[in-house]
Amino acid sequence: MKEIITVQARYLVEFIFKKGSINNIFQGISSQVVSRIREGSLIHKKLQDSYKKEEFQREVYLSYEVNYENFIIKVSGRADGIWKNLLGYKIEEIKTTSMPLEFIDEDFYFVHLAQAKVYAFMLLKENHLSKIDIKLTYFNINSEDTRILEFTFSSYELEVFFDDLMEKYFKWVNFSINWDLYRNESLKKIEFPFKEYRKGQRDFAIRVYKAIKDSNNVFCEAPTGIGKTISTIFPSLKAMSEGLCHRIFYLTSKNITSKVAEDALININKSSKSVRFIKIRAKDKICPKKDCTCNPESCPLSIDYFDKINDVLFEIIENNINLTDELIEEYSNKYNICPFELTLDLSNYADFIICDYNYLFDMRVYLRRFFENICEEYVFLIDECHNLIDRTRDMYSSAISKKEVLEASKNSKYFSIKSINMLNKKLIEYRKLCMEDGFFIFKEEENSIYDIVLKVTSQLEESFLNMKTSKEKDFLINFYFNMLNFLRIYEIYDKNYYIIYCSEENDDFIFKLYCIDPSNFIRKCLKRGKSSILFSATLIPIDYHMDLLGKDEKDMLIRIPNPFPYENRRIIICKDIDARFNARNLSIKRISEYINAMANSKLGNYMVFFPSYEYMNTIYDDFISTYSDFKTIIQTQNLGEEEKESFLNFFSPNPDRTHLGFCVLGGMFSEGIDLKGDRLIGAMIVSVGIPKLNIERDLIKDFFQNKNSKGYLYAYMYPGIIKVFQAAGRVIRTMEDKGIIILLDERYSYFNYKKLFLEHLKSFLIIEKSERLKEEIIKFWQN
C-alpha cells in the first residue's frame, strides 16, 4: 500500500511560490497574531454571513490526490467560500490585512491567488467544469474597508498551473520519503554510544521508550551525573526508527545544556549518519546585523530571501545531516541570506530539533510551522524542567512601561499617533491608585486600557509605510510588537491564573498582566506532542512540580535512585550563619572564614554559590583582601560564550594551587555543567536560595495561600531549595567522583528543610564552627 503524503494547499503554494524579501512589519501583522477582536476567522464569518445562503457555501473542504510510483500526494484545504448560480462556480478567498488596500499589487496577492487556483482546480475536477471564477476579498483590519479582485481561468489553465506546482513539489516529497526510509533503517542499527550504562541509566531509557510507545507524558527525577541527556535521546531515536514518532524536540533553558544534546547527536552520527539535527538559537545570538530590523530597508540579508531560499535549502539537506551553527553561518555568508530565517526553514527537514523552551511554549515565537496545524507525531524532551515554571510565568505575562510609552510618544511626534498620548494618560490615571502603597491590585478585568492599546497598534501600522528607516522607526517597531504581545496576553487573561496590578518600579511605572499559575498553558502546549518527557535532577517537592507543570491524571512519575555511593560525598550544614537579607552585613567575615576553612582543608577546585551578585561581590572583596593563598575567579553578569568557556576552563585537572570560583545560585554555572573528577571537589552554598522579596513573589504567596495553603512554600521556599539542590549536584558526576557540599545558613537545620534534604540528599552533618568544618573535611578525605 502506497504512503499518502498530505499537504495543505496554503502551505504548498507558500512554499513553492513565496517570493520577495523578509519584512518583519507586515509579516508580523498577520491574522495569526492580531487580537481576538480582529482575528481573521471572525472577519471571515462576518463577510460570509452577509451573502445569500442559497448561492453561497462557506468553509468548503476540498482535496485531490496525485498518484506517483511510490507514494500519493493528497492536497487538501478549506476554501473560504464557493458561489454557485446559473452562471457557474466561483471560489472566494478572504484575506485580512493591515496593509493599506491601495498598496495591494500582484506581488502582494500572487500567493493568495495561487492558493485560490488550487481550490479552483480541485473544484473543477470534482464537478467536471470547463472554467471557474476566482474572487479575492481583502479586508483591512484598521479601516474595515474591502477590496475585491476577480479572475477567470479555464480548465486548461488550471491544469497546467497545478501540474507545474506538483512537479516543483515532487522533488521535495521524494527526497523526504527516501530520507525517512534511510533514517529509520539506520537508526534501528545504532547502539548506545558508551561502553556500558551507568547504574539506573538503562532503566531510565527503557521507561522513556515505553512512554513514547504508549503516548504518555512522563515526569522523571533522575540524579545529576546519571546521563539524562543520552538516556532520553537514545530511546527516542529508537522509537523514531519504529515509526512511533516523526520528529523530536529537545527543549532547554540554557545554552550549556543544549550543547550537551548537540554533542550527543554528533557522536551518534560519527558512525551511523542517521539523524539530521539542528539547533535553533535566539535571533539576537545568531544575527550578524544586530543594530537593524528585519526588513529590506534596514538589513541586506533580508533582501530577496524568499527568491533564494528553496535552492539553498535543497543544497544543504542533500549534502549535510549535522546542521550546526558553523554550517548555517557558512551558507548565510555564501548566499547573503538571514541565518536565523535559514535556521527556521532548515528545521522543516530536521528529525531532531534542539531549541529553547520558548519555541514550544511562548505565544510570540512558538514554531507555528510545526504547532499551528499539526500533522505529525512529535516527542518533546524537556530538560531541566524545574526551570519551566518561572520561564512560562514570564512568557504568559506582559507589562506596559510608562518610560517606554513616553519614549514612543517622543519618537512618533511627526506621525500624529494620538493614541500613544491616550495610553500615557491612562497610566497616569492608574498611577494615582498607587499613591498609598506604591502598587495597586485590580480585582476585576480592566478593559479600558485594552481598547487604547488596540488603537495604538492600529495607528502604528498605518504610520509605518510613511516612515523612513531610522532609529525612531526601529524603536517604534519594537514598541509595536510589545503592544501586540500585551493584546495577546489580555485575550487569554483568566482570573484563575492571573493577577492584574500596577506599581512603581525602578524609577518607572508599569501596568502588568502577571501569570501566577502557568500550569494550564503548559498543559495545552504539551498536548501538541504525542509524548513529553520532562526530566530534572530536582523534582522535590513532587506535589509542587506536578501542580505547576500541568500534570494530567494519566501522566506518569519516574524517580531513578541515586546510583553514586553515598560515602563519596559529605554534606555539612553550618548553622551559625544567618544569611537572611537583613543580616547579611553581619555575616561577611564569618563566611570568608568558612570559605578559607574549606579551601585550606584540601588542595583542589571549589565553587562557592551566593543568592545574588551584590552579596557575592561583597564577600569576594572581603575574602581576597584577607586571604591570598588561592586562585580565584568571579562570575559577572551577561557573560558571552567565550567568557563562559573561559570560566569553566579555570577548573582544570590537577591544579597546583586551590582554585575558588565565586558563582551566583541559580545562574549558568549552578546547573547543566559537567566538571568531572578533580575538576570540582567541593561546593559551598550560602543561604537557602530564597528569591528576593518583591511584589510578584508576594502575589504568588497570597494566590497559593488561598488555593492550597502553601503560599510561602510555593513562592519562596521551594524555588530556593531547587536552586540549592542543583548547585549541590555539580560535585558528584560519576561513580568515581568524591567531594564535599557545604551549606551555610541556620535555616537548613529547620524541620521543613531537613525533611526535604532527607528525601533528596539522604544524610548530612550539622556543625557550628569553621574550625570544625576543616576537621570534618580532612577526616572525609582521609577515609
Side-chain angles (χ1 to χ4, degrees), residues 676-699:
K676 297 176 182 176
D678 65 353
R679 290 191 66 195
L680 189 68
I681 65 168
M684 178 176 287
I685 301 167
V686 180
S687 88
V688 291
I690 283 177
K692 188 175 181 179
L693 295 169
N694 59 34
I695 292 170
E696 291 182 354
R697 283 289 152 185
D698 283 343
L699 289 174

Side-chain angles (χ1 to χ4, degrees), residues 148-188:
I148 295 172
L149 303 172
E150 295 195 282
F151 310 85
T152 300
F153 295 96
S154 68
S155 60
Y156 174 76
E157 288 174 310
L158 290 173
E159 286 183 1
V160 169
F161 161 80
F162 191 79
D163 288 346
D164 177 62
L165 174 66
M166 297 311 295
E167 184 180 343
K168 288 182 169 70
Y169 190 59
F170 168 80
K171 79 167 186 177
W172 295 92
V173 176
N174 191 50
F175 179 87
S176 295
I177 285 180
N178 288 335
W179 168 257
D180 286 353
L181 290 171
Y182 165 80
R183 177 201 66 201
N184 290 349
E185 287 304 308
S186 181
L187 286 175
K188 287 176 183 177

Side-chain angles (χ1 to χ4, degrees), residues 178-242:
N178 288 335
W179 168 257
D180 286 353
L181 290 171
Y182 165 80
R183 177 201 66 201
N184 290 349
E185 287 304 308
S186 181
L187 286 175
K188 287 176 183 177
K189 300 172 185 176
I190 65 169
E191 297 182 355
F192 193 69
F194 298 100
K195 289 183 179 179
E196 59 184 21
Y197 288 93
R198 292 177 181 173
K199 186 177 179 182
Q201 195 175 30
R202 191 170 191 278
D203 182 43
F204 183 15
I206 289 171
R207 294 192 191 195
V208 169
Y209 174 85
K210 188 175 187 309
I212 296 171
K213 183 179 180 181
D214 296 340
S215 301
N216 287 330
N217 292 342
V218 172
F219 294 81
C220 182
E221 184 182 69
T224 55
I226 195 178
K228 293 187 288 296
T229 299
I230 195 62
S231 299
T232 56
I233 289 177
F234 182 71
S236 65
L237 292 176
K238 283 296 187 182
M240 176 180 278
S241 75
E242 296 176 14

